[in-house]
């Protein structure tokens, strides 16, 4: 650890920055046997995904189970969820910077690093979903043809990449200052942090606008979609961070995490209820009104004309979400000896949100189709491989990022 | 277990002012070896991509947007596409670049009292537009609807048996060539747009295959090429146009173009010509003496999903 702060201050950034990168990489790839085993496992899974994706590109997307009726599937479902996870990290940033929670402030970088890993995964899921990834450059402003501001997808490209850059800058700057052994200059990162708070809200709002702006898809065409997205993001993000923190504390011996964990638990206590309330209000409107608008919801919850592929998914999600909500409401969950239960509650909330925002939101938008055909969708093996591969890659980034930041976490800098 | 810091596994190292070079270089070598191994495995994993890249040329990769092609570039592109059709489908085709005729706005109408659901239009579209034979693709879907409702939820596209059935009527749906097309708005790369004669087209060589337009369309008018279209050489319709029925590349979206390779040359759409009942009427709404104009002025016509504000250029009526 001494080595990371050992650099002299007088050297110019041109020579010290590459050194910082090299040093960080070196540090990030140092570790115990278990660490190497973990990374090897992730690499192997990622390679399986990469191979599946290459086959998809070579053979056409016929290898997926998507159809002209259900034209988006598991990839876009995961993309939507990952945007939420990226935005969820802001639930650490807000207490740390707006409410000056010192303990949260010391470890807030975990949330920012999670945002980086999650956005990278988002971009990978979008690329995996493209029929012509070789034409990716058509999406770049200037050299391509960017349909801005009419297409919501171009907005999404901007906000997601912007959020990635913001977080890369904030984390990179703080870690670099740490490496130089200097005090970070607030002027160089506080304004960016403030922007990133607003930006986090924007990424999920714009992602919701992708769907809710489509008049031909009644299931998505609701003003409640963006608020719902945010509420569930503020469940899944903190839930992931709590589990990550418990692991970091256990595996790397980082202290000072208990209070942030408690704060995040209290945040979930509120957001999980807000989310359930919005789901309930959505369902009331659908089912009480009836008519053709309800058919997608009917399909999702009970099946339509004997087609019931999504019913088990959705009831699993409801079961998980409600159980998690009850657990979070119980004050005893915060007790230290109930940590395993807290982790279980977080996992339930996380998986619940994943289903609710993925299979439970993207797929019923397409069933029944706009001509009221009922074509069902269950992801193919290839889609699962690619998806799990991208998750493995995301976890790799997150692990390496956390390892790089460990010295900062162990000796909380005075920032 | 605990995760160890750099060098802390070696207690000596921390006490020295200089890092232990031999240890450092040994670890660096091990890491380098692992990185090389990983990179090699990655290259092997994505090797199917090499197969894919064989099928696409540098010229195709670098081709600019249709609207930005100079006349010479366009000529080159058309020649290249014709050569590709020869190579991949063994078919001699001519690919033209049909432009809208000034003063034309194409409109379609279907007389639902006459349509009997025989599906000849579906079949004609399939052949005319060089659709994939395997999936029996077509731009037209016909709904069998119970009499007494216009609610599509009551209809079915998978009817069979002798038509027409007494208690049913038939509703063919294809691209409505909307005046406010949601599919065009959502496209992130402007690969799809509305031309002056009202036809919504796709540049198959610019589309990135995100399928956002497919999600946005309220009429299920768009199709995606999930695989390479298969058409036997002797069944390929050689009379093609860049923006319409040329054989589409894999991984892009396509749609009905009112057969612009015919209609912009003064012919009628293939679906209309194939219709045995005479239910279909097509024409230029700007021409006061046209049949279609008379129908729109004198029949009680309606449009699909009017409440969505898409303003279709496709009308339905009963006699
Ligand atoms: S699939 Fe093609 S045409 Fe449709 S929105 Fe995407 S890029 Fe545009």
């Amino acid at each position: 650890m001494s080595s990371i702060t050992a650099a002299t201050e007088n050297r110019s950034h041109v020579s010290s920055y590459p050194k910082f990168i090299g040093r960080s990489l070196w540090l990030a790839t140092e570790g115990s046997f278990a660490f190497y085993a973990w990374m090897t496992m992730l690499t192997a899974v990622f390679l399986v995904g990469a191979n599946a994706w290459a086959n998809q590109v070579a053979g056409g997307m016929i290898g997926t189970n998507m159809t002209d009726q259900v034209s988006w599937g598991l990839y876009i479902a995961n993309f939507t969820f990952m945007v939420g996870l990226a935005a969820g990290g802001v639930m650490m940033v807000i207490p740390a910077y707006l409410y000056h929670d010192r303990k949260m402030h010391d470890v807030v970088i975990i949330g920012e690093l999670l945002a980086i890993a999650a956005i990278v995964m988002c971009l990978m899921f979008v690329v995996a979903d493209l029929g012509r990834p070789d034409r990716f450059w058509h999406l770049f402003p200037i050299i391509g043809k960017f349909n801005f501001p009419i297409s919501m997808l171009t907005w999404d490209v901007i906000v997601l990449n912007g959020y990635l850059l913001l977080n890369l800058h904030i984390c990179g700057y703080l870690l670099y200052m740490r490496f130089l052994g200097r005090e970070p200059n607030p002027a160089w990162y506080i304004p960016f942090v403030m922007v990133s708070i607003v930006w986090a809200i924007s990424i999920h709002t714009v992602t919701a606008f992708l769907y809710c702006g489509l008049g031909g898809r009644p299931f998505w065409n609701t003003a409640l979609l963006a608020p719902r997205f945010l509420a569930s993001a503020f469940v899944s993000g903190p839930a992931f961070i709590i589990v990550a923190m418990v692991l970091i504390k256990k595996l790397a011996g980082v202290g000072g995490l208990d209070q942030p964990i408690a704060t995040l638990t209290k945040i979930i206590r509120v957001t999980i209820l807000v989310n359930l309330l919005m789901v309930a209000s959505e369902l009331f409107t659908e089912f009480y009104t009836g008519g053709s608008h309800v058919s997608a919801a009917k399909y999702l919850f009970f099946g339509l004309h004997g087609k019931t592929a999504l019913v088990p998914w959705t009831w699993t999600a409801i079961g998980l979400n409600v159980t998690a909500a009850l657990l979070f409401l119980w004050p005893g969950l915060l007790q230290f000896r109930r940590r395993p239960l807290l982790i279980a509650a977080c996992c339930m909330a996380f998986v619940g949100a994943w289903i609710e925002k993925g299979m439970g939101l993207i797929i019923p938008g397409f069933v029944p189709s706009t001509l009221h055909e009922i074509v069902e969708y269950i992801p193919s093996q290839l889609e699962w491989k690619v998806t799990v591969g991208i998750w493995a890659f995301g976890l790799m980034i997150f692990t390496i990022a956390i390892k790089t930041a460990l010295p900062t976490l162990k000796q909380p800098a005075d920032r | 277990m605990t995760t160890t810091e750099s060098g802390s596994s070696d207690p000596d190292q921390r006490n020295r002012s200089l890092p232990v070079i031999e240890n450092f270089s040994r670890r660096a070598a091990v890491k380098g070896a692992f990185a090389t191994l990983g990179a090699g495995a990655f290259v092997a994993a994505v090797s199917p991509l090499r197969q894919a890249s064989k099928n696409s040329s540098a010229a195709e990769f670098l081709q600019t947007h249709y609207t930005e092609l100079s006349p010479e570039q366009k000529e080159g592109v058309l020649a290249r596409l014709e050569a590709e059709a020869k190579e991949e489908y063994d078919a001699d085709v001519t690919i033209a670049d049909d432009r809208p005729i000034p003063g034309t706005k194409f409109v379609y109408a279907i007389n639902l009292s006459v349509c009997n659901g025989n599906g000849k239009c579906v079949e004609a579209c399939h052949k005319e537009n060089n659709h994939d034979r395997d999936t029996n693709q077509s731009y037209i879907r016909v709904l069998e609807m119970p009499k007494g409702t216009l609610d599509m939820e009551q209809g079915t596209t998978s009817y069979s048996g002798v038509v027409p059935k007494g208690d049913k009527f038939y509703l063919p749906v294809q691209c409505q060539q909307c005046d406010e097309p949601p599919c065009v708005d959502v496209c992130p790369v402007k690969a799809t747009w509305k031309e002056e004669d009202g036809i919504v087209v796709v540049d198959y060589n610019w589309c990135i295959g995100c399928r956002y337009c497919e999600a946005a369309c309220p009429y299920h008018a768009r199709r995606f090429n999930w695989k390479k279209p298969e058409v036997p050489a002797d069944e390929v319709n050689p009379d093609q146009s860049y923006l319409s029925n040329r054989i589409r590349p894999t991984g892009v979206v396509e749609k009905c173009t009112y057969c612009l390779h015919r209609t912009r040359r003064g012919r009628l759409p293939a679906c209309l010509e194939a219709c045995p009942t005479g239910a279909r009427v097509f024409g230029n709404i700007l021409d006061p003496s046209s049949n279609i104009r008379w129908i729109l002025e004198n029949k009680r016509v309606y449009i699909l999903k009017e409440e969505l504000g898409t303003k279709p250029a496709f009308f339905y009526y009963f006699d």
Side-chain angles (χ1 to χ4, degrees):
Chain A
M1 194 193 313
S2 50
S3 46
I4 199 168
T5 52
T8 55
E9 290 203 20
N10 304 342
R11 237 175 272 145
S12 80
H13 295 301
V14 182
S15 65
S16 59
Y17 200 76
K19 257 194 207 129
F20 156 67
I21 299 279
R23 188 68 220 155
S24 305
L25 263 183
W26 180 263
L27 200 63
T29 49
E30 286 292 301
S32 63
F33 176 75
F35 167 71
Y36 285 119
W38 165 246
M39 292 302 278
T40 310
M41 196 269 289
L42 290 180
T43 310
V45 175
F46 166 67
L47 288 176
V48 170
N51 178 252
W53 175 73
N55 280 322
Q56 172 187 303
V57 174
M61 295 187 81
I62 190 82
T64 73
N65 275 353
M66 289 184 269
T67 53
D68 283 325
Q69 279 82 9
V70 184
S71 49
W72 281 338
L74 194 60
Y75 301 150
I76 295 298
N78 274 283
F79 158 77
T80 313
F81 178 76
M82 292 318 297
V83 176
L85 202 54
V90 81
M91 279 295 136
M92 291 182 80
V93 181
I94 290 177
Y97 287 97
L98 295 187
Y99 293 96
H100 304 291
D101 176 339
R102 288 223 58 86
K103 285 277 193 267
M104 189 64 95
H105 199 276
D106 289 341
V107 294
V108 66
I109 200 162
I110 297 177
E112 293 159 346
L113 293 173
L114 171 65
I116 294 176
I119 294 281
V120 169
M121 288 172 69
C122 285
L123 299 177
M124 290 173 84
F125 275 116
V126 171
V127 172
D129 190 63
L130 290 185
R132 296 302 297 233
D134 54 323
R135 296 183 186 165
F136 192 70
W137 64 275
H138 295 183
L139 258 176
F140 297 154
I142 302 165
I143 62 163
K145 244 185 182 312
F146 204 54
N147 191 11
F148 184 81
I150 300 296
S151 171
M152 274 300 128
L153 203 51
T154 57
W155 283 76
D156 221 25
V157 168
I158 293 173
V159 292
L160 288 179
N161 285 300
Y163 195 58
L164 180 62
L165 292 180
L166 272 175
N167 280 290
L168 279 176
H169 166 74
I170 295 167
C171 297
Y173 176 74
L174 291 176
L175 291 176
Y176 182 49
M177 284 301 120
R178 174 87 202 162
F179 169 76
L180 293 179
R182 279 200 221 150
E183 193 70 6
N185 178 356
W188 276 104
Y189 74 101
I190 296 288
F192 293 95
V193 170
M194 294 304 155
V195 173
S196 86
I197 292 176
V198 183
W199 210 283
I201 312 285
S202 86
I203 60 170
H204 221 18
T205 308
V206 171
T207 304
F209 286 179
L210 283 183
Y211 310 110
C212 68
L214 304 181
R217 306 275 171 194
F219 188 71
W220 295 339
N221 191 212
T222 154
L224 205 51
L225 204 65
R228 247 183 87 186
F229 270 24
L230 286 168
S232 73
F234 297 153
V235 174
S236 59
F240 184 90
I241 295 168
I242 290 177
V243 175
M245 280 181 171
V246 171
L247 285 175
I248 291 170
K249 181 180 170 191
K250 234 188 146 140
L251 300 178
V254 173
L257 288 174
D258 290 326
Q259 205 182 311
I261 289 178
T263 309
L264 288 176
T265 308
K266 288 173 195 155
I267 289 176
I268 297 182
R269 191 173 282 166
V270 178
T271 53
I272 201 167
L273 283 188
V274 174
N275 186 42
L276 282 178
L277 173 73
M278 289 203 243
V279 173
S281 122
E282 190 98 81
L283 291 182
F284 169 79
T285 318
E286 298 261 10
F287 282 101
Y288 196 82
T289 315
S292 66
H293 273 217
V294 77
S295 37
K298 250 192 210 147
Y299 171 71
L300 179 61
F301 285 93
F302 307 110
L304 204 59
H305 303 308
K307 306 274 176 84
T308 54
L310 282 185
V311 175
W313 290 84
T314 201
W315 288 104
T316 309
I318 292 196
L320 290 172
N321 281 337
V322 171
T323 317
L326 292 176
L327 282 174
F328 273 105
L329 282 183
W330 178 47
L333 192 69
L334 272 176
Q335 283 169 22
F336 195 70
R337 60 192 169 86
R338 299 227 168 81
R339 268 293 138 80
L341 196 60
L342 175 64
I343 296 207
C346 285
C347 292
M348 282 190 243
F350 189 79
V351 177
W354 182 80
I355 299 177
E356 185 198 309
K357 246 154 101 180
M359 296 297 282
L361 183 101
I362 302 304
I363 313 307
F366 294 103
V367 189
S369 81
T370 46
L371 295 186
H372 295 279
E373 295 169 287
I374 301 174
V375 175
E376 300 207 274
Y377 164 82
I378 286 293
S380 74
Q381 207 188 52
L382 182 141
E383 287 172 88
W384 279 116
K385 281 187 194 162
V386 173
T387 301
V388 174
I390 294 176
W391 273 87
F393 190 78
L395 283 174
M396 259 157 88
I397 296 185
F398 188 61
T399 311
I400 289 189
I402 291 291
K403 284 218 62 160
T404 314
L406 268 186
T408 337
L409 291 171
K410 278 194 175 169
Q411 268 183 4
D414 195 21
R415 59 171 168 112
Chain B
M1 77 129 239
T2 55
T3 317
T4 51
E5 288 299 315
S6 157
S8 60
S9 51
D10 176 3
D12 286 349
Q13 191 180 330
R14 266 194 290 186
N15 302 332
R16 298 185 195 175
S17 49
L18 287 168
V20 184
I21 300 299
E22 314 90 76
N23 187 27
F24 176 85
S25 58
R26 203 196 69 220
R27 291 192 74 85
V30 171
K31 283 184 188 183
F34 267 105
T36 317
L37 201 72
F42 180 75
V43 170
V46 298
S47 63
L49 289 181
R50 244 178 301 160
Q51 184 58 38
S53 65
K54 253 189 244 153
N55 297 334
S56 71
S57 59
E60 186 196 326
F61 177 73
L62 293 173
Q63 185 183 324
T64 50
H65 190 271
Y66 172 81
T67 55
E68 283 168 6
L69 290 170
S70 69
E72 303 81 57
Q73 281 174 322
K74 223 178 231 175
E75 236 168 72
V77 167
L78 296 179
R80 194 191 77 227
L81 292 172
E82 284 170 358
E84 270 174 28
K86 180 75 191 161
E87 191 187 318
E88 286 174 37
Y89 292 91
D90 194 28
D92 294 298
V93 305
T94 44
I95 303 180
D97 175 39
D98 296 288
R99 301 304 304 140
I101 308 160
T104 313
K105 156 104 175 147
F106 288 128
V107 166
Y108 220 138
I110 295 186
N111 184 346
L112 295 181
S113 308
V114 174
C115 173
N116 65 8
N118 61 70
K120 284 279 182 287
C121 50
V122 180
E123 209 182 299
C125 175
H126 175 72
K127 291 186 181 143
E128 177 69 28
N129 288 303
N130 292 312
H131 279 295
D132 179 40
R133 293 301 185 254
D134 239 22
T135 43
N136 212 14
Q137 193 60 276
S138 172
Y139 294 140
I140 307 174
R141 286 184 115 68
V142 184
L143 278 89
E144 184 178 71
M145 306 269 293
K147 281 183 179 162
T149 180
L150 289 176
D151 180 2
M152 283 198 241
E153 209 174 343
Q154 316 284 329
T156 169
T157 53
S158 53
Y159 61 92
S160 54
V162 180
V163 290
K165 293 170 199 148
D167 52 345
K168 299 283 199 293
F169 76 97
Y170 297 85
L171 177 69
V173 184
Q174 63 207 74
C175 177
Q176 312 276 305
Q177 316 289 358
C178 308
D179 283 346
E180 300 283 350
C183 55
V184 168
D185 286 349
V186 299
C187 178
V189 295
K190 300 191 189 166
T192 181
W193 64 93
K194 193 172 174 69
E195 302 230 292
E196 298 89 85
D197 55 0
I199 299 176
V200 175
V201 293
V202 180
D203 182 351
Y204 311 124
N205 278 44
W206 190 259
C207 169
I208 57 173
C210 67
R211 306 187 300 292
Y212 196 8
C213 52
E214 211 173 9
C217 174
Y219 306 102
H220 192 64
R222 291 185 168 244
R223 307 282 184 274
F224 183 71
N225 287 279
W226 301 97
K227 64 194 254 302
K228 189 175 162 183
E230 269 167 44
V231 192
D234 56 332
E235 289 179 26
V236 171
N237 175 7
D239 209 2
Q240 304 180 356
S241 194
Y242 181 90
L243 291 174
S244 65
N245 65 337
R246 67 182 165 104
I247 305 179
R248 271 75 65 192
T250 315
V252 304
V253 136
E254 59 178 59
K255 63 181 289 301
C256 161
T257 61
Y258 277 175
C259 278
L260 65 79
H261 55 283
R262 298 167 63 109
T263 50
R264 283 182 184 172
R265 299 178 201 166
R267 298 174 65 197
L268 288 165
C271 46
L272 187 149
E273 264 181 14
C275 177
T277 64
R280 290 173 170 263
V281 186
F282 180 85
N284 176 11
I285 196 180
L286 300 181
D287 173 3
S289 61
S290 64
N291 219 347
I292 188 87
R293 181 77 170 251
W294 187 87
I295 285 168
L296 295 188
E297 275 168 3
N298 294 286
K299 300 283 180 184
R300 280 164 295 164
V301 297
Y302 81 100
I303 51 177
L304 291 183
K305 305 197 185 188
E306 186 173 2
E307 69 279 10
L308 298 181
T310 50
K311 306 209 179 104
F314 203 110
F315 299 85
Y316 297 89
Y317 64 103
F318 294 90
D319 256 343

